């Protein structure tokens, strides 16, 4: 399995519009973060987790030529806004792209991209096949996926486990029974927005506490805001098996 971070930033990305803080002004490419998204290559398949507003840029930058399915964590705009650009894969692959999401996410996509769900579709709109998922493990083209429920304030969000790899974003609470689904992962990706308290995201210390409970071999922090601090400085504060993820980082399992 190979996983690649297409984006590691929060909803506004880094640099943030109209901000001149040291992080937004940083020339270190690890401080320049598009909205969160992941590319998973496993068993000969190519999956995307979330199609945020930077989806087109991320796909072109990473040189991804095929997508076999898209999995959505939740319905917020920074995770769904780029769905229209799936059309390029429709043209290249001459097929619809399967989408996997919870019912509430599907309903939101139907509102945001109504033209893609219309009975009389305009030529060239995204061609998608929609599959509803919930709390039960499911198969995506022969690849087993375990969904993990987390709370994003009051909103249910799904994390996903592929074998020894678990991906959690947009969370500030994980119930004990869901933590059990994560344990045994060799690599855990988890969100941490900043160091100070936030209503719907883990702080860095809170994410580190979850990592200590799960005890993966390695952990990576994502969904990072400019308020976290400079990549190089924050990395020096972390335990030896915990890393700040950055756009373009690729890991092999």
């Amino acid at each position: 399995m190979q996983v690649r971070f297409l984006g590691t930033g929060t909803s506004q990305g880094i640099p943030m519009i109209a901000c001149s803080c040291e992080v937004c002004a940083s020339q270190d490419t690890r401080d320049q973060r598009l909205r969160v998204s992941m590319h998973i290559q496993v068993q000969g398949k190519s999956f995307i987790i979330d199609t945020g507003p930077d989806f087109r840029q991320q796909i072109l930058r990473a040189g991804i030529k095929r997508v076999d399915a898209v999995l959505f964590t939740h319905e917020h705009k920074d995770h769904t806004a780029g769905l229209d650009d799936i059309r390029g894969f429709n043209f290249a692959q001459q097929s619809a792209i399967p989408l996997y999401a919870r019912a509430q996410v599907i309903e939101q996509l139907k509102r945001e991209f109504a033209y893609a769900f219309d009975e009389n579709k305009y030529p060239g709109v995204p061609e998608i096949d929609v599959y509803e998922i919930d709390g039960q493990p499911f198969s995506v083209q022969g690849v087993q996926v375990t969904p993990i429920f987390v709370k994003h304030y009051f909103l249910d969000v799904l994390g996903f486990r592929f074998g020894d790899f678990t991906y959690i974003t947009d969370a500030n609470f994980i119930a004990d029974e869901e933590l059990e689904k994560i344990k045994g992962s060799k690599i855990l990706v988890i969100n941490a927005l900043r160091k100070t308290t936030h209503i719907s995201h883990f702080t860095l210390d809170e994410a580190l506490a979850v990592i200590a409970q799960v005890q993966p071999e390695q952990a990576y922090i994502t969904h990072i805001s400019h308020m976290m601090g400079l990549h190089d400085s924050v990395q020096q504060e972390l335990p030896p098996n915990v890393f700040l993820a950055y756009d373009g980082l690729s890991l092999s399992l």
Side-chain angles (χ1 to χ4, degrees):
M1 183 191 306
Q2 185 173 55
V3 300
R4 178 164 33 180
F5 292 85
L6 301 179
T8 56
T10 188
S11 58
Q12 297 187 77
I14 303 175
M16 194 176 79
I17 289 173
C19 183
S20 56
C21 75
E22 66 172 357
V23 177
C24 289
S26 172
Q27 296 304 301
D28 186 340
T29 57
R30 297 171 301 174
D31 288 318
Q32 297 164 10
R33 305 179 183 278
L34 300 179
R35 272 62 73 95
V36 287
S37 180
M38 289 293 300
H39 181 218
I40 312 289
Q41 292 177 285
V42 56
Q43 296 178 29
K45 301 297 182 181
S46 172
F47 303 142
I48 298 292
I49 301 179
D50 290 336
T51 59
D54 302 315
F55 179 66
R56 175 182 176 276
Q57 182 181 355
Q58 290 166 337
I59 294 297
L60 291 172
R61 181 172 68 176
I64 297 169
K65 301 299 185 184
R66 181 175 183 86
V67 168
D68 293 300
V70 175
L71 290 73
F72 285 104
T73 60
H74 65 297
E75 62 267 37
H76 283 168
K77 200 78 168 179
D78 55 320
H79 296 258
T80 64
L83 178 59
D84 184 82
D85 285 317
I86 207 75
R87 290 181 297 150
F89 293 110
N90 293 146
F91 301 149
Q93 297 169 206
Q94 290 296 294
S95 65
I97 304 299
L99 307 183
Y100 292 79
R102 296 185 65 227
Q104 67 191 55
V105 181
I106 295 169
E107 289 307 310
Q108 180 71 12
L109 293 175
K110 287 180 177 179
R111 290 191 293 271
E112 292 185 11
F113 302 97
Y115 55 90
F117 294 87
D118 198 281
E119 289 186 6
N120 298 308
K121 292 182 181 179
Y122 189 85
V125 303
E127 293 290 340
I128 52 180
D129 292 331
V130 180
Y131 297 88
E132 183 180 333
I133 58 175
D134 210 330
Q136 298 302 312
F138 60 97
S139 175
V140 182
Q141 300 193 21
V143 177
Q144 291 300 118
V145 184
T146 300
I148 299 158
F149 271 102
V150 300
K151 283 291 187 182
H152 182 35
Y153 189 31
F154 58 80
L155 183 70
D156 284 326
V157 170
L158 285 185
F160 299 108
R161 179 169 181 172
F162 299 78
D164 292 327
F165 174 79
T166 297
Y167 180 78
I168 304 288
T169 185
D170 288 53
N172 70 329
F173 175 77
I174 307 176
D176 289 343
E177 60 268 25
E178 299 302 308
L179 274 174
E180 289 299 317
K181 298 177 184 178
I182 305 172
K183 289 181 179 178
S185 299
K186 291 183 179 179
I187 295 180
L188 168 62
V189 177
I190 190 166
N191 70 295
L193 190 71
R194 60 196 195 192
K195 295 178 181 178
T196 55
T197 302
H198 190 272
I199 194 171
S200 61
H201 287 276
F202 285 131
T203 65
L204 180 58
D205 283 345
E206 289 168 343
L208 290 174
V210 173
I211 292 166
Q213 285 182 276
V214 175
Q215 296 187 331
E217 292 180 8
Q218 295 181 335
Y220 292 82
I221 304 295
T222 193
H223 209 295
I224 298 165
S225 84
H226 66 155
M227 297 177 70
M228 179 70 84
L230 293 167
H231 184 284
D232 191 51
S233 298
V234 177
Q235 182 60 57
Q236 294 179 42
E237 304 170 11
L238 298 178
N241 69 324
V242 180
F243 307 90
L244 283 189
Y246 54 86
D247 290 19
L249 174 63
S250 183
L251 307 172
S252 296
L253 289 84

